[in-house]
Amino acid sequence: MGLDTIVKNGLMVTESGVLPAGQDIGISKEKISLIGYDLPENPETKIIDAQGAYITPGGVDSHVHLAQRNAPTGDTWETGTRSAVAGGTTTVLAFVSQTKEMTTLFPVLEEYHGKSRNQSYCDYGFHFILTNPTETILNQELPVIAKEEGITSVKLYMTYDLYQLSDKQLLETLLACRSLGLTTMIHAENGDMINFLIQGLERNANTAPFFHAISGPKIAEDEASYRAIRIAELVDAPVLLVHVSSDGAMKHIRDAQTRLLPIHAETCPHYLFLLSDRLANEEHDHFHGAKGGLLASTSSSP
């Protein structure tokens, strides 16, 4: 077998552990063909000396916001994926975002293809954010997108006026996704609770960064997580609860998993360690507290 490239002198890490030293990686036509000792080489074989470094599979970041129309970020597809590759991430999954006035998914999907095509340094795919899951979209468009575009996941929201779905819409979408084998991600917070609190805080001029935490109490996440799980259970659909941050929500998830329900969850370090007291920092007219709130918000939502 002719090998185009051989990577030598590295320590290979697989899902089962670190392989014994001295093994090399043989690459043919841009794919790993062999792992072993004394791999055959010819004068045209390119040799890469890993110099004792660890060689790991490329990372997959399955929750990325890049050039999203209703969630502006500092990164474009070019800068974001260049940073990803620099950190060892070779695949990203970003979000195509439908807005409520859109009655079809195809134009916005083409728009996002236009943003990413020839702009990415790594492999990529899309999740679809559904904010207006009409009967036509669920029964006619989603099957086409799943089959022809390879998009196998959608994201739904239980909060934010621009995104929030009713319980009936959640049920209908979960059922449609279940029939297509799609993964459904859910942002689980009680939007009505949060809006009620925000209105009261603003009415009393409580708008300093610390009140960001007051407007989104744990109970809003706990209630919505429980409701999302029960809705999913009713239609026997798997769900992934995103950016989990409360112990109450985690308890609901563990209880569901104990009952062997297909309920999954993800979190990030800032949800676990960036506590509300960081927002109460009043130095420089709340500037430092605002930085804490910005970190939490831009990393988690939408």
Side-chain angles (χ1 to χ4, degrees):
M1 175 181 291
L3 296 174
D4 304 321
T5 304
I6 296 177
V7 184
K8 295 176 173 286
N9 302 321
L11 295 172
M12 281 173 276
V13 181
T14 71
E15 70 279 3
S16 59
V18 181
L19 299 184
Q23 298 190 67
D24 301 328
I25 300 175
I27 299 171
S28 179
K29 297 180 180 179
E30 300 185 349
K31 293 185 177 181
I32 294 176
S33 301
L34 294 171
I35 294 177
Y37 300 97
D38 301 321
L39 298 185
E41 58 185 84
N42 55 55
E44 290 75 35
T45 302
K46 179 181 179 180
I47 305 299
I48 298 176
D49 188 351
Q51 301 179 359
Y54 286 98
I55 303 172
T56 69
V60 178
D61 191 338
S62 61
H63 193 138
V64 176
H65 299 280
L66 292 173
Q68 190 175 314
R69 64 156 59 202
N70 50 356
T73 63
D75 273 315
T76 63
W77 272 88
E78 180 183 3
T79 62
T81 56
R82 189 171 61 194
S83 297
V85 170
T89 296
T90 56
T91 300
V92 299
L93 292 172
F95 292 88
V96 176
S97 187
Q98 179 199 28
T99 54
K100 285 188 179 293
E101 75 278 4
M102 294 178 181
T103 57
T104 178
L105 301 180
F106 298 120
V108 69
L109 177 58
E110 183 54 37
E111 175 191 341
Y112 276 77
H113 274 306
K115 293 179 179 182
S116 56
R117 191 179 290 121
N118 300 321
Q119 298 294 315
S120 181
Y121 280 75
C122 65
D123 294 334
Y124 65 89
F126 292 133
H127 306 292
F128 225 119
I129 294 175
L130 297 183
T131 60
N132 183 22
T134 64
E135 183 177 346
T136 299
I137 284 173
L138 295 180
N139 297 329
Q140 298 179 27
E141 295 194 1
L142 269 189
V144 174
I145 284 173
K147 181 178 181 180
E148 298 183 6
E149 294 287 341
I151 295 176
T152 60
S153 51
V154 302
K155 186 176 182 182
L156 312 177
Y157 285 83
M158 301 173 74
T159 188
Y160 305 136
D161 292 339
L162 295 177
Y163 303 88
Q164 185 171 341
L165 301 182
S166 68
D167 289 355
K168 181 174 182 289
Q169 288 175 311
L170 290 172
L171 283 164
E172 292 169 343
T173 307
L174 281 167
L175 193 59
C177 290
R178 176 181 177 271
S179 69
L180 294 169
L182 303 184
T183 297
T184 305
M185 310 162 73
I186 296 182
H187 178 132
E189 286 184 287
N190 186 310
D192 291 336
M193 282 186 181
I194 292 171
N195 285 337
F196 172 79
L197 292 169
I198 289 173
Q199 290 166 8
L201 290 168
E202 290 178 343
R203 191 163 51 245
N204 291 283
N206 291 318
T207 57
F210 173 73
F211 293 101
H212 178 69
I214 303 301
S215 70
K218 291 198 300 180
I219 193 172
E221 182 182 355
D222 297 350
E223 187 281 331
S225 298
Y226 180 80
R227 182 159 39 101
I229 291 169
R230 299 303 260 181
I231 287 172
E233 184 178 9
L234 180 65
V235 292
D236 191 26
V239 297
L240 169 64
L241 298 180
V242 297
H243 35 70
V244 173
S245 67
S246 77
D247 51 357
M250 196 66 239
K251 181 180 183 302
H252 298 322
I253 293 162
R254 284 175 174 162
D255 288 346
Q257 291 174 342
T258 299
R259 294 190 292 118
L260 302 182
L261 296 178
I263 306 299
H264 310 282
E266 67 176 34
T267 190
C268 290
H270 47 272
Y271 306 130
L272 307 179
F273 297 103
L274 189 62
L275 304 181
S276 58
D277 56 0
R278 294 284 299 277
L279 302 178
N281 191 324
E282 296 187 5
E283 293 183 50
H284 307 297
D285 297 324
H286 308 297
F287 177 67
H288 289 290
K291 288 192 293 185
L294 180 64
L295 176 63
S297 297
T298 57
S299 299
S300 66
S301 43

